[in-house]
């Protein structure tokens, strides 16, 4: 790979971790103070838990607008991340929706007789519960994505440092985050080597075990190298994080955020009274 | 010649290895020069460097910096790593923070420098290495050449007296190699002593003022490049080839090249050969040292 042509964007199958990292560094809301973005997210997160499901959907759409319009995150990338996270919610739907047993009269809106009186059935209550959970998940997810996609990890650590999270926890988070990329590179190298040596789409159990072992060995080697690198760089038992740079919050954005929160609160009050 | 760093009878044996990585190694690194450490795989180059920065401790013998034996207390090691910087072969091993600017500042912040000075010094180094535009890019998204320069920036920002580089040009394309060597020239101009381990004999011949050849953990030979290569490949351990320019130059008949400094790069080689041709083709030239071997036999 020639110099200047970084890994990002070098191929279409860019790992999601790298994609998030790249977006968080190259979005239009990056220059905003990370503490403000964190506080805004925290407020929206709390609202997502408290407000009416209809407002939760509005929160979701509003936070999406912040990401795709204000932060200029590509819609496709955002949709992919949002959809992937929702896929995990979809996986948890069967236990939420489907019940096994004998439903009371009129309780089941859909049912599948099994044997005797035993049935698989879905109730209106289960459907409602899943729907409520979905709106809450969507609202919370959009809030999380706003912070993750607009603020680089290093700046989030600065916020946590300012909130007086213990230094050891921050160091662990920093090293773990750095190590995720090393792990991802090692795994990527192993998979590439397998493909280049004629490995097909199907991976046998033996191959998986072999690759798992190689991944562990490679990761341990990288861990030792990283520890050595820390010592060489003058690590004295504490990784001093760079301080947060002073940044200006544009008044227009602050007003929009404040107005939006106020409207949500008023709408919630109105819905409670109605 | 003053020694910046010296190894005296140093022995180091890795727990799971068959033989010693350093085998009674006694060698000096001359102060203020550019030194190349050559040797085949497993000759002890990386172990030599890890001893120089105190990551490994000799099991026998001692390592001296500016004539004083290294101490291994936490405080002494911190001071050592401020005056001796090591650029590891794999940049991933020593890049710690998220962006080039943050990473370059790591050592300075650990040393307790104030933030204003840290920023100005890091920006200066990043500009010297052509990384200023990438200062806020995530490290993970840089190419290998850029990562190597960022890891060098972290060391240069500390302004150490001695800079050790473990195969810094491996896997680099020619442009990245030139950018990295330019950074080293800047450090050299600021008075740093440079030591580079490399397999690239041509680079070592072109770049170094002093060469140390390691073989099985011991110093096989040390000296100026022309002293080492003048005898052809006979003084080199098996597996190390002669640099191309030296090979050509020292293959010429002795009477042609005696008294002339050996060319260190292709431009100098062309110049020397042009001089030889010009002298040889001068009408009425008495011959002197330009006589052909045939004439000599006559």
């Amino acid at each position: 790979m020639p110099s200047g042509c970084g890994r990002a964007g070098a191929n279409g199958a860019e790992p999601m971790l790298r994609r998030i990292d790249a977006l968080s560094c190259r979005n239009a809301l990056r220059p905003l103070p990370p503490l403000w973005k964190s506080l805004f997210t925290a407020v929206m997160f709390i609202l997502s838990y408290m407000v009416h499901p209809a407002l939760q959907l509005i929160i979701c759409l509003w936070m999406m607008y912040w990401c795709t319009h204000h932060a200029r995150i590509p819609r496709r990338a955002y949709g992919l991340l949002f959809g992937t996270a929702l896929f995990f919610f979809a996986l948890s739907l069967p236990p939420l929706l489907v019940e096994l047993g004998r439903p009371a009269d009129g309780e089941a809106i859909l049912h599948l007789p099994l044997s005797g009186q035993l049935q698989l059935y879905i109730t209106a209550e289960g459907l409602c519960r899943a729907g409520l959970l979905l709106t809450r998940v969507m609202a919370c997810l959009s809030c999380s994505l706003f912070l993750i996609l607009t603020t680089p990890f290093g700046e989030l650590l600065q916020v946590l440092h300012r909130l007086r999270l213990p230094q050891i926890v921050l160091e662990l988070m920093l090293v773990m985050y750095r190590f995720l990329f090393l792990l991802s590179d090692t795994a990527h190298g192993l998979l590439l080597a397998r493909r280049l040596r004629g490995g097909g789409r199907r991976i046998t159990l033996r191959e998986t075990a072999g690759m798992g072992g190689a991944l562990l060995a490679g990761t341990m080697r990288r861990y030792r190298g990283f520890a050595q690198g820390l010592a060489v760089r003058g690590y004295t038992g504490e990784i001093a994080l760079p301080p947060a740079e002073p940044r200006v919050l544009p008044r227009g954005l602050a007003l929009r955020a404040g107005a939006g929160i106020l409207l949500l609160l008023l709408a919630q009050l109105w819905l409670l009274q109605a | 010649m003053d020694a910046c760093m010296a190894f005296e009878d140093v022995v180091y044996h890795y727990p799971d290895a068959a033989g010693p990585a350093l085998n009674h190694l006694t060698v000096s690194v001359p102060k203020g020069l550019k030194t190349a450490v050559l040797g085949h795989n497993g000759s002890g180059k990386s172990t030599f460097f890890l001893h120089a920065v105190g990551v490994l401790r000799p099991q026998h013998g001692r390592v001296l910096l500016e004539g004083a034996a290294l101490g291994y207390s936490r405080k002494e090691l911190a001071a050592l790593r401020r005056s001796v910087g090591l650029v590891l072969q794999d940049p991933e091993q020593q890049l710690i923070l998220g962006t080039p600017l943050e990473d370059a500042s790591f050592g300075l912040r650990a040393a307790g420098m104030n933030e204003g000075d840290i920023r100005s010094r890091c920006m200066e180094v990043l500009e010297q290495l052509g990384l200023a535009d990438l200062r806020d890019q995530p490290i993970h998204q840089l190419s290998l050449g850029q990562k190597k320069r960022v890891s060098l920036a972290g060391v240069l920002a500390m302004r150490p007296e001695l800079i050790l580089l473990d195969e810094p040009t491996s896997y680099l394309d020619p442009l990245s190699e030139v950018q990295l060597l330019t950074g080293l020239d800047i450090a050299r101009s600021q008075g740093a002593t440079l030591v580079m381990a490399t397999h690239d004999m041509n680079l070592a011949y072109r770049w170094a003022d002093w060469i140390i050849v390691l073989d099985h953990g011991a110093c096989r030979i040390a000296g100026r490049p022309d002293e080492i290569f003048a005898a052809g490949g006979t003084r080199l351990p098996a597996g190390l080839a002669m640099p191309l320019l030296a090979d050509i130059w020292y293959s010429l008949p002795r009477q042609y090249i005696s008294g002339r400094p050996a060319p260190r790069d292709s431009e100098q080689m062309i110049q020397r050969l042009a001089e030889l041709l010009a002298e040889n083709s001068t009408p009425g030239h008495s011959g002197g040292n330009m006589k052909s071997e045939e004439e000599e036999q006559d």
Side-chain angles (χ1 to χ4, degrees):
Chain A
M1 185 168 25
S3 290
C5 174
R7 283 184 70 100
N11 57 54
E14 190 183 1
M16 199 166 280
L17 185 64
R18 285 184 188 280
R19 186 82 173 140
I20 293 171
D21 197 61
L23 289 172
S24 69
C25 292
R26 294 184 198 141
N27 70 84
L29 290 185
R30 189 184 171 181
L32 263 57
L35 186 62
W36 181 84
K37 282 185 276 188
S38 305
L39 283 174
F40 178 52
T41 307
V43 170
M44 295 311 295
F45 221 87
I46 293 166
L47 286 177
S48 300
Y49 270 97
M50 289 165 50
V51 297
H52 189 273
L55 294 181
Q56 286 173 342
L57 279 179
I58 289 173
I59 288 177
C60 176
L61 293 173
W62 194 42
M63 296 310 276
M64 279 180 176
Y65 182 75
W66 272 89
C67 282
T68 53
H69 180 76
H70 293 310
R72 291 191 209 123
I73 303 285
R75 288 200 180 102
R76 195 178 159 177
Y78 188 88
L80 187 71
L81 290 168
F82 198 84
T84 308
L86 271 192
F87 174 71
F88 289 97
F89 174 77
L91 288 179
S92 66
L93 275 179
L96 276 172
L97 286 174
V98 182
E99 294 186 37
L100 180 71
R102 209 177 73 181
D105 285 345
E107 191 189 10
I109 52 170
L110 273 174
H111 64 98
L112 177 71
L114 291 175
S115 64
Q117 292 187 325
L118 204 60
Q119 294 183 13
L120 277 177
Y121 63 97
I122 295 173
T123 62
E125 191 193 342
L127 208 57
C128 184
R129 195 168 51 224
L132 287 175
L133 202 56
L134 177 65
T135 54
R136 185 177 287 182
V137 164
M138 284 171 69
C140 291
L141 183 59
S142 61
C143 295
S144 308
L145 282 180
F146 169 75
L147 187 63
I148 291 168
L149 295 178
T150 60
T151 318
F153 186 73
E155 292 177 10
L156 286 178
L157 285 183
Q158 287 168 353
V159 171
L160 294 173
H161 183 63
R162 206 161 158 188
L163 296 175
R164 303 200 186 285
L165 205 72
Q167 178 71 21
I168 184 74
V169 178
L170 294 176
E171 281 180 26
L172 272 173
M173 287 170 74
L174 177 71
V175 172
M176 291 285 282
Y177 188 71
R178 182 83 188 89
F179 217 74
L180 278 177
F181 290 92
L182 298 183
L183 188 69
S184 149
D185 281 352
T186 311
H188 179 77
L190 280 169
L191 287 171
L192 185 66
R194 183 183 170 277
R195 264 174 55 199
L196 293 175
R197 292 174 66 190
R201 281 172 185 267
R202 286 187 62 191
I203 302 180
T204 62
L205 195 61
R206 181 186 282 265
E207 269 184 312
T208 310
M211 283 173 67
L215 182 63
L216 180 69
T219 308
M220 285 307 291
R221 196 171 51 246
R222 290 208 147 191
Y223 156 73
R224 277 194 292 271
F226 188 67
Q228 215 167 58
L230 268 174
V232 163
R233 299 278 313 267
Y235 176 67
T236 51
E238 185 178 308
I239 298 175
L241 292 169
E245 288 173 27
R247 290 182 186 173
V248 181
L249 173 65
R251 211 171 154 192
L253 282 178
L255 281 173
R256 256 174 264 182
I261 291 169
L262 193 67
L263 277 174
L264 279 168
L265 285 171
L266 288 174
Q268 173 67 9
L269 283 174
W270 179 74
L271 281 169
L272 280 176
Q273 283 173 355
Chain B
M1 206 177 308
D2 287 344
C4 179
M5 177 162 270
F7 278 52
E8 288 183 357
D9 200 26
V10 173
V11 175
Y12 189 83
H13 203 299
Y14 285 103
D16 49 355
L22 295 184
N23 191 9
H24 300 281
L25 175 66
T26 299
V27 72
S28 297
V29 174
K31 192 171 183 172
L33 296 186
K34 296 192 283 189
T35 300
V37 181
L38 304 175
H40 49 72
N41 290 335
S43 60
K45 299 189 296 290
S46 297
T47 312
F48 169 73
F49 281 169
L50 292 176
H51 275 81
V53 288
V55 170
L56 296 179
R57 196 172 173 166
Q59 290 156 349
H60 179 268
R62 60 183 189 153
V63 180
L64 299 103
L65 178 67
E66 303 282 354
L70 297 191
Y72 294 90
S73 69
R74 202 170 168 149
K75 200 174 164 185
E76 287 168 318
L77 284 176
L80 172 69
R81 284 162 196 164
R82 279 196 290 273
S83 52
V84 181
L86 170 58
V87 180
L88 295 167
Q89 185 179 2
D90 180 3
E92 296 284 10
Q93 289 185 3
Q94 68 184 105
L95 298 177
I96 299 161
L97 297 176
T99 64
L101 181 59
E102 288 175 3
D103 191 79
S105 68
F106 174 83
L108 296 175
R109 200 166 283 115
M113 189 183 257
N114 76 59
E115 286 300 326
D117 292 344
I118 289 176
R119 191 177 170 85
S120 62
R121 197 189 279 190
C122 290
M123 281 308 299
E124 183 189 327
V125 170
L126 291 176
E127 272 167 27
Q128 285 168 354
L129 292 172
L131 292 165
D133 292 341
L134 300 170
R135 64 180 182 275
D136 293 324
Q137 287 290 307
I139 292 273
H140 332 292
Q141 291 174 13
L142 303 182
S143 68
L144 181 67
Q146 289 163 342
K147 282 180 185 171
K148 284 215 168 201
R149 278 186 284 147
V150 174
S151 62
L152 177 63
V155 170
L156 293 185
M158 298 290 288
R159 292 191 186 154
E161 297 156 32
L162 174 60
I163 300 174
L164 310 166
L165 305 117
D166 195 356
E167 305 198 23
T169 57
S170 58
Y171 309 116
L172 289 189
D173 59 44
L175 177 64
S176 300
E177 185 179 309
V178 168
Q179 287 169 325
L180 192 129
L181 292 177
T182 307
L184 293 183
D185 286 342
I186 292 165
R188 173 74 194 81
S189 67
Q190 290 168 350
T193 300
L194 304 175
V195 184
M196 179 199 289
T198 181
H199 282 118
D200 187 340
M201 300 295 282
N202 293 314
L203 172 67
Y205 180 69
R206 194 174 72 230
W207 179 82
D209 306 315
W210 191 260
I211 284 178
I212 294 170
V213 181
L214 295 184
D215 189 19
H216 292 97
C219 177
R220 170 89 169 246
I221 181 174
R224 295 195 173 277
D226 47 355
E227 292 166 7
I228 289 181
F229 297 117
T234 54
R235 298 176 75 186
L236 298 174
L240 287 187
M242 279 282 284
L244 182 64
L245 289 179
D247 204 14
I248 294 170
W249 183 253
Y250 292 112
S251 299
L252 294 172
R254 287 283 160 196
Q255 69 269 23
Y256 288 7
I257 60 173
S258 63
R260 292 173 196 275
R264 298 287 291 278
D265 56 38
S266 49
E267 278 180 22
Q268 284 182 14
M269 175 63 107
I270 291 165
Q271 195 185 339
R272 300 274 191 284
L273 291 176
E275 284 167 12
L276 282 172
L277 280 171
E279 285 174 22
N280 211 18
S281 60
T282 307
H285 183 64
S286 60
N289 62 352
M290 304 309 293
K291 270 192 254 178
S292 69
E293 283 177 24
E294 214 171 275
E295 283 173 320
E296 276 187 343
Q297 281 169 3
D298 288 342

